[in-house]
């Protein structure tokens, strides 16, 4: 006949093992729930700061990130860029909004590829912006870079069953500190609209903001 004390000890041990197993199971579930909540929070933060169509930072994130970059730039020349597609409404009217979305995605990818590790963003609609590092503010270098960017955007874009070309009006202006960001973007924006007003006189359209550029 089993010893009652041994039986009781065995029952207690089994109960302790069961309790321990249950606690571990609850801990695993809690960790999984925490991980799920953290992933949801990260997704919400990403959605709040990124454009859902192109995946680029949105307007709010652009200003925040640009200010941080300018604070850490330590005097390195940076160039504020504003880019707006020409007659983009015609793409939507002729090919549909799905095609228009694909054009915006393609332009965003090309802009990001051109910028490399530099900051680029979609401000809204067909308007994009960037903050590009520059080895110099020499006019010729900046005009060359602007031309390359315009030509990159203007390359044919494959859509379903067809290929389209879009041009962009580009404006840019040097900026050296956080306090100058708004002013530089305003000057780049004004240069972009001046380029757009040139119409078909230049293709791709482009204009470099002349303020603060050296004449070398």
């Amino acid at each position: 006949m089993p010893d009652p004390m041994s039986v009781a000890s065995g029952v207690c041990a089994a109960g302790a093992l069961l309790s321990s197993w249950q606690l571990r199971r609850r801990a695993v579930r809690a960790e999984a729930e925490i991980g799920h909540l953290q992933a949801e929070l990260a997704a919400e933060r990403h959605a709040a700061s990124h454009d859902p169509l192109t995946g680029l930072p949105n307007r709010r994130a652009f200003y925040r990130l640009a200010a941080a970059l300018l604070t850490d730039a330590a005097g390195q020349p940076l160039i504020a860029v504003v880019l707006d597609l020409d007659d983009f409404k015609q793409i939507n009217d002729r090919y549909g909004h799905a095609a228009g979305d694909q054009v915006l995605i393609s332009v965003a990818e090309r802009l990001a590829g051109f910028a490399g590790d530099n900051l680029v963003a979609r401000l809204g609609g067909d308007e994009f912006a960037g903050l590009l590092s520059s080895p110099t503010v020499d006019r010729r270098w900046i005009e060359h870079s602007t031309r390359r960017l315009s030509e990159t955007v203007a390359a044919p874009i494959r859509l379903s069953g067809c290929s389209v070309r879009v041009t962009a009006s580009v404006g840019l202006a040097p900026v050296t500190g956080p306090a100058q960001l708004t002013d530089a973007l305003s000057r780049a924006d004004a240069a972009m609209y001046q380029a757009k007003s040139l119409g078909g006189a230049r293709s791709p359209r482009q204009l470099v903001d002349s303020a603060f550029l050296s004449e070398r």
Side-chain angles (χ1 to χ4, degrees):
M1 182 175 180
D3 180 12
M5 293 298 294
S6 299
V7 173
S9 297
V11 170
C12 289
L17 287 173
L18 179 60
S19 296
S20 177
W21 177 78
Q22 289 175 333
L23 287 173
R24 285 198 300 270
R25 189 176 181 185
R26 289 170 185 167
V28 169
R29 284 202 300 261
E31 289 178 0
E33 183 64 21
I34 290 172
H36 180 68
L37 292 174
Q38 289 176 335
E40 285 188 342
L41 180 60
E44 289 175 0
R45 287 175 175 171
H46 185 275
S49 60
H50 288 75
D51 171 54
L53 178 64
T54 64
L56 294 180
N58 59 22
R59 178 184 292 270
R60 187 190 327 186
F62 172 75
Y63 279 93
R64 174 171 51 81
L65 295 171
L69 287 172
L70 288 165
T71 300
D72 296 335
Q76 178 186 14
L78 293 173
I79 306 296
V81 180
V82 175
L83 180 149
D84 190 90
L85 299 183
D86 300 320
D87 305 317
F88 177 70
K89 185 176 182 297
Q90 293 184 7
I91 298 293
N92 286 328
D93 291 345
R94 181 172 181 179
Y95 301 102
H97 288 280
D101 286 349
Q102 185 56 54
V103 167
L104 292 173
I105 292 171
S106 296
V107 169
E109 291 174 346
R110 292 176 180 184
L111 181 56
F114 178 88
D117 294 333
N118 293 288
L119 172 64
V120 292
R122 183 188 179 196
L123 300 186
D126 58 335
E127 186 177 11
F128 298 83
L131 191 64
L132 310 181
S133 60
S134 167
T136 176
V137 291
D138 176 79
R139 176 186 297 276
R140 287 171 296 181
W141 184 91
I142 292 177
E143 287 181 343
H144 174 69
S145 297
T146 306
R147 190 176 302 109
R148 283 181 50 232
L149 175 56
S150 299
E151 291 172 350
T152 297
V153 172
I157 297 174
R158 291 292 304 174
L159 299 177
S160 179
C162 67
S163 177
V164 300
R165 293 173 64 96
V166 294
T167 61
S169 297
V170 179
L172 49 83
V175 51
T176 57
Q180 294 187 10
L181 177 60
T182 300
D183 176 66
L185 287 169
S186 295
R187 287 186 283 111
D189 196 59
M192 181 272 292
Y193 276 106
Q194 187 175 349
K196 195 174 287 289
S197 71
L198 296 176
R202 299 166 72 183
S203 181
R205 303 173 191 175
Q206 61 206 351
L207 191 75
V208 178
D209 174 75
S210 59
F212 305 113
L213 296 185
S214 65
E215 295 295 336
R216 296 192 302 274

